[in-house]
Amino acid sequence: DTSRVRIASTILSTHSWLLSPTLMYVMWQFTYLLKTEVVSRSYLEQNVDVETSLRWLARDSKNFTNKLAKKVCTRIGVMDQKEKFDSTSLKTKFIFVAFNFFYFAICILPTTSLFSYKYVHLAVLLFAMFCSVWQGANYYIEVFSERYSSSLEQKAKQLQEQYLFIDENLDSLMEDKWAEIQSDVSDLDTNEFEYDTSDEYTDGDGDGGYTPSARDERDSSQRQFVDDNEY
């Protein structure tokens, strides 16, 4: 009895590897559409910046799913060569639902081999880990670098606008300041700065000469005293 149980446990039935996963996928897809198209439809229409799986895949033209879906749909005539995906259109929604099921089928078919051969299973797990690391690194490089670059561009634009405003108004500001300075100079009483030619500040001849004061004579005698003592 024990051997029979072991043998039965190592066999993957069709119900286990195909029917049950398919049923779970259909339930998930139905729940996703119910949430995005019925329950939260008005919220998503008002908040276009909220990301959903459909919006991301339809907008990201570098994504592999986007490229493959566009190529296949163009070949079978569903889409034109210059047509782009629109997450709000019924055509785009139907295409991505179909491709989701296509991916599900591709991923579910080799499960019997993965269940039976451990090294094949190990190789697939390592490949999945590598893909997750690669995608995560690309997300950080592309998304965060774009956000940082856009923030720098906005700051540069603001600085450019500020300096442009200064350059445009610098001439008018200088003209206004110069007019104020000329107005202040014209208001000064020039009589206060006239040169006094009276005899008190001349040598008596009225020629505006300079008469040494007692302080000047004292300073001269002190310098002479210092010079004599040096020798």
Side-chain angles (χ1 to χ4, degrees), residues 86-209:
D86 183 9
S87 60
T88 60
S89 66
L90 184 61
K91 180 194 291 188
T92 300
K93 294 174 183 178
F94 178 80
I95 290 172
F96 278 96
V97 167
F99 267 83
N100 276 337
F101 182 79
F102 176 71
Y103 276 129
F104 164 76
I106 291 177
C107 294
I108 204 67
L109 287 177
T111 52
T112 53
S113 299
L114 300 179
F115 184 83
S116 302
Y117 304 98
K118 62 179 181 180
Y119 292 109
V120 176
H121 195 180
L122 177 62
V124 172
L125 288 177
L126 293 176
F127 178 74
M129 293 176 62
F130 172 78
C131 290
S132 64
V133 173
W134 179 265
Q135 294 293 337
N138 286 336
Y139 178 84
Y140 278 103
I141 294 299
E142 293 179 1
V143 177
F144 288 168
S145 62
E146 289 179 358
R147 291 179 181 176
Y148 181 71
S149 178
S150 62
S151 65
L152 291 180
E153 290 178 356
Q154 292 178 358
K155 291 181 180 179
K157 186 177 180 180
Q158 292 176 356
L159 292 175
Q160 184 179 5
E161 292 177 352
Q162 292 177 359
Y163 284 113
L164 182 61
F165 174 80
I166 294 175
D167 292 339
E168 291 177 349
N169 294 273
L170 183 60
D171 294 337
S172 61
L173 291 174
M174 293 181 65
E175 290 177 358
D176 294 340
K177 290 296 183 181
W178 181 247
E180 292 179 1
I181 293 173
Q182 289 180 334
S183 177
D184 293 340
V185 172
S186 63
D187 293 339
L188 293 176
D189 188 3
T190 56
N191 295 327
E192 297 179 359
F193 302 96
E194 291 182 352
Y195 186 70
D196 193 351
T197 58
S198 61
D199 294 341
E200 182 181 355
Y201 297 97
T202 62
D203 56 359
D205 297 334
D207 58 353

Side-chain angles (χ1 to χ4, degrees), residues 1 7 16 32 43 46 50 52 58 65 79-80 124 131 137 168 170 184-185 188 207:
D1 297 335
I7 293 174
S16 300
Y32 175 84
Y43 174 78
Q46 295 175 1
V50 176
T52 63
T65 304
M79 296 180 63
D80 296 332
V124 172
C131 290
E168 291 177 349
L170 183 60
D184 293 340
V185 172
L188 293 176
D207 58 353

